[in-house]
Amino acid sequence: MKTPAIPTFYLVGGFVAVVGVVLLIRNAGAVAQAASQAVVGAVVGVGTGTVKGVGMAVGIPLTDSQKCAACKKIKDTFGASKFCTAAQFLRYLATGK
């Protein structure tokens, strides 16, 4: 009685699967790190988008570093308050720079 032959594509598929599992086990830390970074990036992106959207809806302009620098250069405190980040604006108020 002759044993049936295993088709070649089954052997190749099995080899690829074994190599994939070995690589996944060896790089499990990197895979987990990449996945967590993707999740955190998505959450931060959603939060940032929400804050910017609400700010725009109520009339708060987005910060702009070039406009901030221009306002600080001409000593326009009101303009600096609109275009600088909070840290930049407070530093400007405290030091004038």
Side-chain angles (χ1 to χ4, degrees):
M1 183 166 151
K2 188 175 180 184
T3 58
I6 300 174
T8 306
F9 61 90
Y10 285 153
L11 294 174
V12 172
F15 177 75
V16 169
V18 169
V19 169
V21 168
V22 169
L23 289 176
L24 182 64
I25 290 171
R26 289 183 66 193
N27 297 322
V31 170
Q33 182 180 4
S36 64
Q37 286 175 344
V39 168
V40 169
V43 169
V44 169
V46 167
T48 302
T50 302
V51 169
K52 287 182 178 181
V54 169
M56 289 173 60
V58 297
I60 299 172
L62 297 177
T63 58
D64 185 332
S65 60
Q66 291 177 341
K67 289 180 181 178
C68 172
C71 289
K72 290 190 301 184
K73 186 175 181 179
I74 62 171
K75 306 288 187 204
D76 178 11
T77 304
F78 182 70
S81 72
K82 291 192 301 185
F83 297 114
C84 297
T85 63
Q88 290 172 327
F89 180 64
L90 292 175
R91 188 178 314 115
Y92 170 71
L93 285 179
T95 64
K97 298 180 182 180

